[in-house]
Amino acid sequence: MKNKLIGLIAAGSVSAVLAGCSDNGTTEEANVGEQLEYTITGIEPGAGITGQAREMLESYDNLEGWELQESSTGGMMTELDQAIQNEEPIVVTGWTPHWMFERYDLKMLEDPELAFGEGDDIHTIAREGLEQDMPEAYAILDAFEWSVEEMQVVIDEGQDIEMEEAAANWVEENQDQVDGWLEGVDPVDGQPIDIISVPWDSERASSNVIRLALEQHGFDVTVTNVDPSILFQAVGSGEADASVAPWLPNTHGAFMDEYGDSIVDLGPNAEGTMNALVVPAYMEIDSIEDLPAAE
Ligand code: PBE
């Protein structure tokens, strides 16, 4: 995955070098700002990436006067799609794993101030006491591990069929791997467990996969999707048993700082996610610093 990202960034640099031959580059850049109305198209206000993007506006001098338009992931994807249809400029808050990179030719802007950090891993967290109260569930959650490439398979299939079905297909095709998570753990008989998650496709994929694994071992699983801040509150207070959704240390770092004292971190279940400002590959900028300051 990291190589793929470097590839995306490198591909972007080549087009910028070629474009850099024109002597009116500065005017073009300023025009891009005007065309964008100095607006970055974002997602839900409660998302971790939205908090990072708000802080990014503060940490880059050239972004003074720029705005983050908060909306929804669906709304952002519609705007991205329309801009690409019309070959117009657009800057969105994007991330991997997601299907946007499979469907469109995009690049991540370089982020010298590390507003989005240097990538995250997706962690499994549990409420305090879960290990003692529900040792079987804890053992399975602790063993749960796959790759972002595997997650991507479920995300992509989940665009054409229900995510529940896409996850079930993955489990069926990878039963050996699932058996590895269940190995050495005694099955239970209908023990209820509350898994809490967030509503993005990546976590709808992973939460369905862990739900199916737990169900195979006799658990009665409830999955609830909430905003990240609610997720951390729920696990911190013991209202929810566990989550496989947190992106750490960056995306959800602020929530972990707030509630982490009463949360058990079981470590990564998937490694190598990345958040960034994302633009169509035809745009002639490569770095957040290339965005022109508002006049
Ligand atoms: N995301 C996808 C989420 C976590 C998973 C990056 C949009 C967020 O920003 O909270």
Side-chain angles (χ1 to χ4, degrees):
M1 177 53 68
K2 289 256 162 68
N3 285 340
K4 195 167 160 194
L5 296 181
I6 291 163
L8 287 169
I9 292 164
S13 311
V14 172
S15 62
V17 168
L18 297 176
C21 298
S22 76
D23 51 10
N24 61 347
T26 321
T27 325
E28 274 173 20
E29 277 180 13
N31 281 341
V32 164
E34 277 168 33
Q35 279 177 279
L36 293 168
E37 292 176 358
Y38 300 99
T39 300
I40 290 157
T41 306
I43 62 163
E44 289 80 357
I49 196 173
T50 303
Q52 292 177 309
R54 282 190 206 124
E55 285 183 22
M56 171 199 70
L57 292 179
E58 306 299 316
S59 43
Y60 284 87
D61 291 343
N62 59 307
L63 293 182
E64 214 187 304
W66 280 74
E67 274 174 43
L68 176 68
Q69 178 196 308
E70 295 172 19
S71 62
S72 65
T73 300
M76 177 189 81
M77 291 311 301
T78 303
E79 289 198 33
L80 179 65
D81 188 73
Q82 282 170 1
I84 290 174
Q85 302 287 334
N86 302 325
E87 270 210 44
E88 285 167 357
I90 185 165
V91 181
V92 304
T93 55
W95 62 91
T96 57
H98 189 279
W99 50 267
M100 64 180 96
F101 289 94
E102 316 284 313
R103 189 165 306 178
Y104 306 110
D105 193 5
L106 303 172
K107 59 185 172 184
M108 289 187 157
L109 295 184
E110 287 158 29
D111 174 20
E113 299 291 336
L114 299 182
F116 296 98
E118 291 179 286
D120 277 327
D121 296 325
I122 310 179
H123 285 231
T124 301
I125 60 171
R127 65 169 169 83
E128 282 186 338
L130 188 77
E131 187 172 13
Q132 293 75 38
D133 305 344
M134 300 171 70
E136 297 86 2
Y138 186 93
I140 295 168
L141 286 159
D142 199 19
F144 169 54
E145 199 183 356
W146 62 342
S147 66
V148 293
E149 287 79 10
E150 289 170 308
M151 176 184 256
Q152 185 77 51
V153 170
V154 182
I155 295 171
D156 290 344
E157 203 184 353
Q159 301 316 305
D160 302 324
I161 58 173
E162 291 298 321
M163 193 61 84
E164 288 76 8
E165 222 181 306
N169 288 345
W170 187 89
V171 166
E172 203 183 310
E173 282 155 29
N174 296 274
Q175 187 62 51
D176 286 355
Q177 194 169 336
V178 175
D179 287 345
W181 309 332
L182 305 173
E183 202 182 311
V185 181
D186 292 334
V188 298
D189 187 12
Q191 187 175 50
I193 179 162
D194 283 317
I195 300 291
I196 198 150
S197 190
V198 291
W200 289 281
D201 287 344
S202 39
E203 282 59 49
R204 290 177 60 223
S206 55
S207 294
N208 273 294
V209 166
I210 192 67
R211 171 181 62 78
L212 289 159
L214 288 162
E215 284 176 355
Q216 284 189 1
H217 234 48
F219 287 92
D220 178 8
V221 188
T222 307
V223 177
T224 312
N225 292 335
V226 295
D227 267 4
S229 70
I230 309 288
L231 181 153
F232 282 85
Q233 271 178 53
V235 179
S237 66
E239 271 168 65
D241 291 310
S243 178
V244 296
W247 287 30
L248 295 168
N250 298 299
T251 309
H252 299 137
F255 305 123
M256 197 61 175
D257 287 346
E258 199 172 342
Y259 301 103
D261 284 349
S262 36
I263 288 175
V264 183
D265 183 357
L266 284 71
N269 59 61
E271 292 181 0
T273 70
M274 189 69 210
N275 296 347
L277 289 192
V278 171
V279 301
Y282 54 74
M283 282 182 70
E284 294 171 356
I285 56 170
D286 296 295
S287 167
I288 297 175
E289 288 185 329
D290 295 339
L291 292 167
E295 307 276 291

